[in-house]
Each structure stands twice: as C-alpha cells, then as structure tokens.
Amino acid sequence: MTSLIIRTEDIKPEFILDLYVETSQDKKIVELLKSSTPIIMEGSRGTGKSFLLRVAEAHLMREFENERILPVYVTFVKSSLLQSGDPNQFLYWMVARLCSRIIRALYQFGLLARPSSSLSLLTGGKPALDLKETALEKVAKEYEETYKRPGSYVDKSVIPSVEDLKDAVEDVCSDYSIDRFAIFFDEAAHIFRPEQQRQFFTLFRDLRSPYMSCNAAVYPGVTFYGQTFQTTHDARLVSLVRDPLEAGYLKGMREIVQKQADSDLAGAIERHRENFHALAYAVSGNPRLLLKTVDMAPHLRAADVKKILKEFYRTD
C-alpha cells in the first residue's frame, strides 16, 4: 500500500525532482526563483511553495558547475524560541542562521577544501574547513535556548553587521569563483509575529546585492512588510494559485499523485477516474490536501470518496 508523502519537509532534497510535475505556471515560478531578481512567492498553505523552493534549489545544484550559482536553503522554524530580552535578538539570530547555512552550503559543494580569510566573518572566527560547530552556530543555538531562561544574556559580538556580511559574501564569491548565492527563505514570514515580519523584510531588502539574491515564501493576507519594504521596489511578488478551471488542471493533479503511487493506487486512479476527479476538484488546487485525501481513500471507491467529502471537509 502506498504511503504518500504529504509535506515537502519529509522529502530528501535529492528526490525532489523525482516528484516534480512541471506545469507552465510552476516552470515560470521556478525560473524566477533561480534568477537574480528578489522574489516573494505568495500562496495559501499546502499549495506547494516549499516544494518549488526546493525544486529551484535542486536545479541550481545540478547546474552549479556551469552557472556557478550556489543555492542556500534557510528555515526559521525556531523563531518562537527566542526570549533573550534583547530587542534586536531576532535580527542577530537571522544573520547568524544565514551565515551558518552559507558555510554549510559551501562545505556540501566541496568548496572548503582550501581556507579563505573571507570565511572568518561567516563563521565568527577562524576559516571553517569542516562541519564542526562554528562560533555563529553556537550563538544561534544560544538564542534558540533562551526560552528555557527568558531574559538570559547572549554574546552577539561575533555576529557581523549586514554590510559586513555582504562584503564577506562578495569576497567568498571572488575566492571560490561563485557568480552569486541564491538564498531561499522557507517557513519565513508566515510563522513570525508582525514585528518579526517587519524585521525580516528589512533584512531581505538590505541583503540585496549582485552577489546574493533572496527569495521567500509567504501567506496572502497575513504578511506585514513594514514601512521600509515595498514589493513594488524591493522584490517581485508572484502568486502561486492552481485554478481548477484551467486546462490541464486534472492532468497535473493526477500526475502529482502518480509520481508517488504504487501499482495498486495507479490502477485505482485509472479504474475510478471520476472519483479521483471529485477529490481533485474538492481541493481547489491544493496538492497537499489532494495527497492527504487520496491517502485516506487509496481504493477510490465511491463510498470512500463520499465519506471524505462529507467528513473531512465538513468536520476535520
């Protein structure tokens, strides 16, 4: 029996492209995410924002030897743990996390075989040649553990300013023949408090440079950009909406499931295509809900589908 993977977080990065169903909209968004233009991707929960960030990352990883664009995937899921009492703790923590992810990406691509003085700002100390915990990683973890001791002091002296960070990134690009870093911020603004969102988008704007492009995924209607960030000037806003009325909608949703389906589920989809279409239309373009509801009724019998339409959507 097929056990469908519902969330992108559960997919290993090396398998992302195996599950990718390329639609014209998704292809356009992925190309924008790979470009040097800062992108804010707006979409409801479960529409595939994290997945497309990972697809863009996978493409750049595959193309790195020729394009020399290094992808860096960053999540801020532990933001709610910060309780040091420092009014700027969130900014310092984000910078420390970003530096740590850049160092890890360099290591994973085998680019740290030789030391470079430009790495010292990104590690908070000596140039890193392995994945041992850097000084900046330690600071980030200290911030994340302040929920245990609210108001506790964290020494932030090793965290670089935004301008120093940008200078360090430029030097790293020169030292390692990198064209630019493509930063993908996932689980970003929509899990932050309003004030944290404002700080995030200020940092997003300030990081812009020829050597670093930033991209982020957000929810519509609940994002606070603050006074200093304007989507008309500081980024390009793209919407991820899968319209059930568009040509090819059913084909695309079916392929999303078939990418993970075993022979039993694939056969059920062919035998009970109308029942599958009922589930596909019910999710209104949300792949996560489609995978979840198909996983709940893998035989796609009419009685099972009717039960889901009644109980899952009305109650659960």
Side-chain angles (χ1 to χ4, degrees), residues 1 34 45 50 63 79 132 192 219 227 229-230:
M1 183 67 67
K34 291 163 55 180
R45 190 171 189 178
S50 297
E63 300 162 0
S79 62
K132 291 181 180 178
F192 298 157
Y219 288 167
Q227 299 297 319
F229 184 91
Q230 296 179 323

Side-chain angles (χ1 to χ4, degrees), residues 103 106 111-123 125-129 167-178:
I103 288 295
L106 288 166
L111 298 175
L112 296 187
R114 57 185 176 84
S116 169
S117 59
S118 60
L119 296 175
S120 58
L121 269 173
L122 300 178
T123 62
K126 297 180 180 180
L129 292 179
D167 289 342
V169 166
E170 181 179 349
D171 292 341
V172 168
C173 287
S174 176
D175 292 344
Y176 295 97
S177 300
I178 297 171

Side-chain angles (χ1 to χ4, degrees), residues 62-108:
R62 189 175 59 185
E63 300 162 0
F64 179 73
E65 288 303 317
N66 294 323
E67 302 296 331
R68 306 300 292 180
I69 301 172
L70 189 65
V72 180
Y73 193 87
V74 187
T75 64
F76 291 136
V77 293
K78 295 185 177 181
S79 62
S80 61
L81 302 178
L82 309 185
Q83 298 184 38
S84 72
D86 186 332
N88 294 314
Q89 63 176 358
F90 185 61
L91 173 62
Y92 297 140
W93 175 73
M94 286 193 296
V95 172
R97 283 281 299 149
L98 176 57
C99 291
S100 298
R101 292 305 303 170
I102 289 174
I103 288 295
R104 186 166 290 270
L106 288 166
Y107 183 89
Q108 290 173 337

Side-chain angles (χ1 to χ4, degrees), residues 205-265:
R205 180 204 62 185
D206 293 345
L207 287 173
R208 187 169 188 168
S209 84
Y211 304 96
M212 184 162 44
S213 58
C214 294
N215 307 274
V218 303
Y219 288 167
V222 295
T223 302
F224 296 88
Y225 293 103
Q227 299 297 319
T228 61
F229 184 91
Q230 296 179 323
T231 54
T232 53
H233 298 287
D234 298 317
R236 177 172 175 176
L237 183 66
V238 298
S239 296
L240 177 56
V241 179
R242 305 180 192 280
D243 187 355
L245 299 180
E246 285 187 353
Y249 170 79
L250 289 175
K251 179 177 182 292
M253 299 300 274
R254 185 167 61 250
E255 289 180 0
I256 287 174
V257 178
Q258 288 174 332
K259 286 281 187 177
Q260 296 191 46
D262 61 10
S263 58
D264 291 339
L265 178 55

